[in-house]
Amino acid sequence: MGRKFEINLVKFLYFFGISSFIYLIKKPLAKEWLLVFFIKSYYASLVDNLVVKRGYVQYPTRFPKQVKTSVLFDYILFPITCVFYNQLTKDSRIIQCLLKVLYFSIPMTIAELWLKKNTRLIKYKNGWNWTTTFYSLSFPYYWLDLQCLL
């Protein structure tokens, strides 16, 4: 894949993420969903910053270029998927919540693996692999979901 494709993909994902955020705000319980959104953004930025500083993951193509982490993923895409997960599991039991985690973490892991193999948007280093990605994506959905834990 070429650099132009990568830039257009990033632009599309920003547009998709911002559109999803607008859709999210119009839902009932918007305050609750915004709280989940900001908590997950904070969590994702902390973890991604740590992972990048330790050299496990690198983002060669990113916007803005001054930031070493993925702003798109940390502050838009991941928090939005976490909100949708919370909306989906709002009235679910613990086992249902665990199963629904797979609805989000498996496709996201596959997408990241495809991006790693076909673009320069993400690079794994120092033993990081798709299983590490899967676990690091699955953990915050379930274990940071207060609705399922209560």
Side-chain angles (χ1 to χ4, degrees):
M1 304 280 160
R3 179 128 169 93
K4 186 172 181 161
F5 171 79
E6 292 171 2
I7 291 169
N8 287 335
L9 179 62
V10 169
K11 286 178 183 179
F12 170 76
L13 290 173
Y14 268 108
F15 175 76
F16 175 76
I18 292 168
S19 301
S20 298
F21 182 77
I22 292 167
Y23 172 76
L24 172 92
I25 291 175
K26 293 183 178 183
K27 287 244 181 195
L29 302 172
K31 286 184 198 176
E32 183 178 320
W33 305 136
L34 284 173
L35 181 62
V36 169
F37 179 88
F38 289 121
I39 289 171
K40 300 296 181 150
S41 295
Y42 181 71
Y43 170 81
S45 66
L46 286 176
V47 170
D48 199 20
N49 196 16
L50 180 67
V51 167
V52 168
K53 279 187 178 178
R54 296 226 172 145
Y56 293 114
V57 175
Q58 183 181 19
Y59 304 102
T61 304
R62 61 190 178 278
F63 177 78
K65 291 184 180 189
Q66 296 80 8
V67 180
K68 299 282 186 207
T69 61
S70 174
V71 172
L72 173 63
F73 184 77
D74 294 346
Y75 295 104
I76 299 174
L77 297 178
F78 182 70
I80 286 171
T81 59
C82 288
V83 170
F84 287 135
Y85 167 78
N86 275 262
Q87 291 173 348
L88 183 65
T89 60
K90 188 171 165 240
D91 299 319
S92 300
R93 296 176 184 219
I94 292 175
I95 298 298
Q96 293 170 323
C97 290
L98 279 171
L99 291 174
K100 290 177 183 175
V101 163
L102 301 177
Y103 294 165
F104 293 90
S105 57
I106 289 175
M108 288 177 72
T109 301
I110 292 169
E112 185 173 298
L113 192 58
W114 185 87
L115 288 171
K116 180 205 166 286
K117 287 183 179 183
N118 297 300
T119 69
R120 288 187 29 90
L121 294 176
I122 188 166
K123 262 181 152 174
Y124 294 164
K125 294 176 146 189
N126 300 330
W128 193 276
N129 56 36
W130 71 269
T131 56
T132 314
T133 294
F134 174 74
Y135 293 128
S136 67
L137 288 172
S138 298
F139 174 78
Y141 281 113
Y142 183 74
W143 293 109
L144 295 178
D145 182 3
L146 298 176
Q147 296 172 43
C148 282
L149 295 175
L150 298 177

